[in-house]
């Protein structure tokens, strides 16, 4: 971005970033923010670990930082551009050049995860203090989840001037480490107490960020409120409530270019005025999943298969749904028990329920284009992305009324239907009874083609891109610097 347009610089500190590495929605957000913030004058760079093979993806990289002892070995930071994102890769082979994923190998967490992500945060603080070799230095450090949690802590404990923000994408992961690691993590012993680093006798790097950051955000307004309640705060509700004045919920957006049924290379193009074309995608999807005719709504699920996502509720409601004409196509992987349950469902309802176990981005696009509805029965959902893809594709979301799902879906009650604003169905509580009722309602709405088409058009009109959210982040950074 041009120099005179810059109002401030932000160092985003994260463990994953699309398109380099992704295990969940966090990566989408970290990759989207720099592009979304640029028009507001914020120059954001993303600092992340150079996992194995990643430096090669960076293209022409320049060395912008060197450290002699970064948690047990030397490290450098390489700067480069990927997909319009200024990426800073922390190359520290002793921490990151290994088999497996970002957090685990063969199903087991890397035992030195506390040190691995502490190193990332430590280097973020070093950059905040000294800047990079190319003269760039941040005004704000924006840390994401427990992996970034120590960045605000190091800034605070080491007396550095940069402001800090921590964003909670999912409070279920809290970055625990034994108290014996205090020294190894370069944390002050004096801060190991209940009002700071200590969490039930251990260190929580997420809590460390929450108690030291200048602002706390999470990814939807409803989740921001839920986090202060015991049902959702996972033990940290008191910590967050104590800093309530600093907390705000800013909805994630989706990449409107990637998720656009009129321009998606995976699908037969359609938009709100050419909805008939969606039927071609539906027919293709039915064929791809080996289903028979589905006379009622064809629902899709694209998800990690975990209890958080309410996947375990599906088997109990399928018999009714299928009897009412519905069909289901599932794409996901995760908990072996739930993978098995989904495969059993496909075997129990051949021709009506199809399941593919795995992770397949391209197929997920075809599913959003071909489905009639997307099911997201989560027990908690900080923001959720798939319901927003559903809105973009006129694939009506059936969601649990929690977190970002509650903030993004306008449920088809009589008033919303009359006003033409309904975009899906939200149910509460997250149990099989309420989900079953929601699916019955879905079938009833599907049987009224005019109402259904009106909901599809309303869904596709609903803004779910980054416009509003990036303005909210820009305003927050500006407040911190004011
Ligand atoms: P979470 O981060 O909790 O998994 P989100 O809804 O925020 O949930 O983000 C999940 C992201 O991962 C979405 O972009 C979704 O489309 C994608 N996804 C999840 N499972 C799969 C899969 N099996 N294949 C392709 N994409 C998937």
């Amino acid at each position: 971005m041009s120099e005179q347009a810059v109002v401030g610089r932000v160092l985003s500190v994260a463990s994953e970033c699309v398109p380099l590495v992704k295990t969940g929605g966090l990566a989408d957000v970290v990759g989207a923010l720099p592009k979304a913030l640029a028009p507001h004058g914020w120059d954001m760079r993303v600092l992340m670990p150079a996992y194995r093979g990643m430096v090669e993806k960076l293209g022409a990289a320049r060395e912008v930082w060197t450290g002699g002892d970064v948690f047990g070995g030397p490290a450098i930071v390489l700067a480069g551009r990927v997909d319009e994102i200024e990426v800073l890769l922390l190359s520290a082979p002793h921490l990151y050049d290994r088999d497996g994923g970002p957090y685990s190998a063969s199903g087991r967490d890397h035992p030195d995860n506390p040190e691995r992500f502490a190193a990332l945060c430590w280097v973020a603080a070093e950059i905040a203090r000294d800047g990079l070799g190319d003269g760039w230095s941040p005004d704000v450090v924006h840390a994401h989840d427990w992996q970034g949690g120590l960045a605000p802590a190091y800034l605070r404990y080491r007396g550095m001037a940069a402001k800090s923000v921590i964003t909670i994408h999912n409070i279920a992961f809290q970055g625990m480490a034994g108290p014996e690691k205090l020294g190894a993590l370069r944390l002050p012993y004096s801060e190991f107490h209940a009002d700071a680093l200590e969490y039930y006798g251990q260190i929580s790097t997420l809590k460390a960020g929450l108690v030291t950051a200048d602002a706390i955000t999470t990814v939807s307004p409803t989740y921001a409120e839920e986090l202060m309640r015991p049902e959702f705060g996972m033990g940290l509700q008191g910590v967050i409530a104590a800093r309530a004045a600093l907390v705000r919920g800013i909805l994630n957006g989706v990449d409107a270019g990637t998720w656009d049924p009129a321009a998606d290379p995976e699908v037969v193009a359609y938009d709100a005025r050419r909805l008939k074309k969606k039927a071609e995608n539906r027919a293709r999807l039915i064929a791809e999943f080996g289903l028979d005719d589905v006379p009622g709504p064809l629902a899709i699920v694209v998800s990690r298969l975990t209890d958080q996502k309410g996947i375990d509720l599906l088997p109990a409601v399928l018999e009714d749904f299928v009897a009412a004409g519905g069909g289901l196509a599932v794409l996901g992987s995760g908990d072996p028990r739930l993978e098995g349950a989904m495969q059993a469902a496909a075997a129990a309802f051949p021709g009506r329920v199809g399941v593919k176990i795995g992770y397949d981005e391209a197929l997920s696009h075809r599913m959003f284009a071909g489905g009639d509805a997307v099911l997201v029965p989560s027990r908690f959902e900080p923001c959720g992305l798939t319901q927003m893809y559903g809105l973009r594709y006129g694939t009506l979301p059936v969601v649990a009324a929690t977190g970002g799902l509650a903030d993004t879906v306008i449920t088809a009650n009589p008033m919303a239907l009359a006003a033409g604003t309904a975009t899906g169905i939200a149910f509460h509580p997250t149990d099989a009874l309420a989900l079953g009722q929601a699916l019955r309602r879905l079938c009833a709405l599907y049987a009224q083609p005019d109402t259904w088409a009106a909901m599809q058009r309303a869904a596709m009109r609903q803004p779910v891109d980054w416009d509003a959210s990036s303005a909210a982040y820009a305003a927050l950074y500006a407040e911190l610097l004011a």
Side-chain angles (χ1 to χ4, degrees), residues 214-225:
D214 297 301
I216 299 169
T217 75
T218 187
V219 291
S220 70
T222 295
Y223 195 57
E225 285 169 26

Side-chain angles (χ1 to χ4, degrees), residues 34 36 75 77 101 143 165 172 182-183 203 221 231 328 361 366 392 409 437 471:
V77 172
V165 181
L182 266 175
I203 303 163
E231 314 91 277
L328 178 67
E361 195 92 28
R366 297 194 292 279
R392 291 278 295 163
V409 175
Q437 284 165 346

Side-chain angles (χ1 to χ4, degrees), residues 22 24-25 28 302-304 309 331-332 358-361 364 381 384-386 389:
K22 165 172 166 173
D28 293 295
V302 177
S303 181
R304 290 187 289 125
K309 300 289 182 181
L331 169 63
Y359 190 96
D360 188 336
E361 195 92 28
S364 75
E381 194 59 78
L385 293 171
T386 58
Y389 305 154

Side-chain angles (χ1 to χ4, degrees), residues 260-262 269-275 278 368 388-397 422-423 453-464:
D260 176 3
Y270 67 94
D271 56 32
R273 279 166 293 123
R274 287 177 294 161
L275 271 171
K278 188 167 166 58
F368 283 101
M388 296 202 268
Y389 305 154
L391 293 170
R392 291 278 295 163
Y393 282 67
T395 303
L396 302 184
T423 58
M455 285 180 69
Q456 285 182 305
R457 285 192 296 270
M460 295 175 84
R461 271 199 311 270
Q462 188 171 319
V464 290

